[in-house]
Amino acid sequence: MDFSADSSYLQVSTGSYKRQVYEVPSGKQLVDQAVIDRITWATWTSVLGDEVIGIWSRHAEKADVNCACVSHSGINLVTGDDFGMVKLFDFPCPEKFVRTCFCMITTRSTVDIRILSCFARRHMMEIISSLNL
């Protein structure tokens, strides 16, 4: 669940893999894609939407990518999947099947990852956020 930067909208990803946007506080669902495209989000944790099409590999099933989180700077996106992989992308990631930095993370279900560092060709990024993998 994410709020827009001005707290006027809320976006959620449903169990049926649909991205839905609602007006706050009325709760009215927003369906005008042109309006949705103009919204600036304060956070991004959705695995759905045009902004994150590139996180899906050619052979991915809908349930393969479980979580996503955009860095505080808004330029990087980290995802977690069913295969125990944590992947780093540029954000937004609108192109299909983009190249990424892969990091294998082994955790127990009780471990809470606070800092994740990935080294890519020209970047290093630290994401300070809780990912429950």
Side-chain angles (χ1 to χ4, degrees):
M1 175 173 19
D2 300 294
F3 281 94
S4 63
D6 64 1
S7 298
S8 297
Y9 302 98
L10 172 76
Q11 86 171 346
V12 295
S13 299
T14 70
S16 59
Y17 299 96
K18 294 182 180 159
R19 175 184 177 200
Q20 295 178 338
V21 178
Y22 296 93
E23 294 177 352
V24 174
S26 72
K28 180 182 173 191
Q29 186 173 358
L30 189 62
V31 293
D32 184 348
Q33 191 60 47
V35 174
I36 293 170
D37 291 343
R38 289 192 303 268
I39 298 172
T40 300
W41 297 99
T43 59
W44 189 283
T45 58
S46 179
V47 297
L48 304 173
D50 292 340
E51 296 86 345
V52 294
I53 288 174
I55 70 173
W56 297 95
S57 69
R58 292 180 202 277
H59 308 292
E61 294 180 15
K62 285 184 176 178
D64 286 349
V65 181
N66 301 308
C67 59
C69 185
V70 171
S71 63
H72 293 291
S73 63
I75 61 172
N76 296 104
L77 172 75
V78 66
T79 65
D81 66 28
D82 281 350
F83 310 105
M85 298 296 290
V86 174
K87 299 175 185 175
L88 178 66
F89 298 89
D90 290 331
F91 185 80
C93 186
E95 296 177 33
K96 291 186 178 184
F97 321 125
V98 297
R99 243 185 138 143
T100 184
C101 168
F102 293 88
C103 300
M104 178 61 107
I105 303 293
T106 305
T107 65
R108 296 180 196 190
S109 60
T110 58
V111 174
D112 197 12
I113 299 170
R114 296 278 178 204
I115 300 176
L116 167 68
S117 295
C118 286
F119 294 89
R121 284 194 179 157
R122 289 177 298 273
H123 348 262
M124 183 190 94
M125 170 185 165
E126 286 188 355
I127 298 172
I128 302 173
S129 123
S130 295
L131 296 177
N132 295 316
L133 302 175

